[in-house]
Amino acid sequence: MYTTREVAELLTATMELAHQRNHEYVTPEHLLYCLTETKTFAKAFERCGGDAKILREELDGYFEETMSGLEASEPELTEGLKQLLAGFDQQADASGKKTAELQHLIHCFLELKESFGVYFIVKQGVDLTELLCEICDYGDAPGNETQ
């Protein structure tokens, strides 16, 4: 399965974020933090009533509370992130597309049962289904391809 350049860059940024902050683990919340910096997610989140800047601030607080002071040479993926990535492959395959896209990754993120990231999204009053629909609509709009 191929992934779009945007997804590949997002996953790289996620790993780099955890490494730069000297975190022992790479979590779904690291991925969400990097997602907030993408045009597709930020616009869709805003259209659903969310504020990406506030979401980043909440995630920064979460990182400070739960991960500050940890040092590792190379951060490891948490089970939650491993499950998300496995689901990402399955979601993309089930969609019938030849390329795994950002909306597949976000769909799997939003399905996480125990995620502070999902909690922070919902805390802003954003409906997860509506957010996914906005992301799919934005990514499919002419000139907004997620590749």
Side-chain angles (χ1 to χ4, degrees), residues 51-68:
D51 185 323
K53 182 180 177 193
I54 292 172
L55 184 55
R56 275 192 302 277
E57 290 170 0
E58 297 238 64
L59 290 165
D60 275 329
Y62 169 77
F63 294 145
E64 287 293 320
E65 282 183 35
T66 63
M67 297 181 200
S68 62

Side-chain angles (χ1 to χ4, degrees), residues 4 18 22 37 44 46 56 73 91 116 122 138 144:
T4 63
N22 293 319
E37 297 176 336
E46 183 180 295
R56 275 192 302 277
S73 58
Q91 177 69 26
F116 282 98
V122 172
Y138 184 82
N144 292 330

Side-chain angles (χ1 to χ4, degrees), residues 26-127:
V26 186
T27 67
E29 288 72 27
H30 288 98
L31 176 67
L32 179 59
Y33 188 93
C34 293
L35 269 171
T36 64
E37 297 176 336
T38 67
K39 184 177 175 182
T40 302
F41 182 87
K43 291 283 186 189
F45 193 63
E46 183 180 295
R47 284 194 302 269
C48 292
D51 185 323
K53 182 180 177 193
I54 292 172
L55 184 55
R56 275 192 302 277
E57 290 170 0
E58 297 238 64
L59 290 165
D60 275 329
Y62 169 77
F63 294 145
E64 287 293 320
E65 282 183 35
T66 63
M67 297 181 200
S68 62
L70 299 176
E71 298 215 10
S73 58
E74 209 48 51
E76 296 178 33
L77 303 181
T78 61
E79 284 304 312
L81 189 57
K82 288 178 185 176
Q83 290 173 358
L84 186 153
L85 295 174
F88 167 60
D89 283 341
Q90 294 170 352
Q91 177 69 26
D93 191 44
S95 74
K97 293 191 175 186
K98 295 179 182 175
T99 305
E101 299 174 350
L102 186 63
Q103 62 228 36
H104 301 125
L105 187 65
I106 294 170
H107 180 261
C108 292
F109 180 88
L110 296 176
E111 286 190 331
L112 292 174
K113 300 291 183 227
E114 296 179 21
S115 166
F116 282 98
V118 172
Y119 165 75
F120 292 138
I121 290 170
V122 172
K123 183 178 173 185
Q124 289 195 36
V126 173
D127 180 87

